[in-house]
Structure formats: structure tokens, C-alpha cells
Amino acid sequence: MLRLYSPSKNIFRHKIIIDENNDQFHHAKNVLRLKVDDEVIIFDDKKNEYQAILEKILPKSMIFNIKYKENFIPNPS
């Protein structure tokens, strides 16, 4: 599954906004060419991962609907 980064300040109760100020916006829109209803994993700077569905594509942002959240726990090496 595709993975994107979003700073935690852009993550709200059930929504994640990736806007034009985030390099991930260009990558998701123009490289990956995500479309509405595409499912992705989004991780943040607080070690959380979210399974999310792209809800809306706007000219300067993308809005994702969070399906569920998990705390990321790295494997010990």
C-alpha cells in the first residue's frame, strides 16, 4: 500500500489534509496520480500510522478520511 507523510498539525479527528505546502501533495497528485477512493497509509511525526481513503481533491489540497489509526512500533534490531 502507498505511504505518505503528513505533519501531525494537519491531522484532525477523522480527517487528514495534505496541502500544497507539503511535498507529499505534488507526489500524491502528480506522480502517484491518486484518485478519490484510493486507500493509502499516512504516517506522522508522532509515530502514528493512519489507514485513510482519499475523499476529495482540491486545487491546493487533498482531504483524506481516516479509517483507523495505529501507533507505529519499530522492530527491535
Side-chain angles (χ1 to χ4, degrees), residues 1-5 24 27-28 31-35 38-43 49-52 64:
M1 188 170 299
L2 300 174
R3 291 172 51 87
L4 300 170
Y5 168 76
Q24 297 292 292
H27 185 69
V31 177
L32 299 175
R33 298 180 188 216
L34 293 182
K35 297 184 180 3
D38 282 351
E39 205 165 309
V40 298
I41 300 290
I42 298 176
F43 62 97
E49 286 189 342
Y50 304 85
Q51 187 166 351
F64 293 84

Side-chain angles (χ1 to χ4, degrees), residues 73-77:
I73 301 170
N75 292 332
S77 18

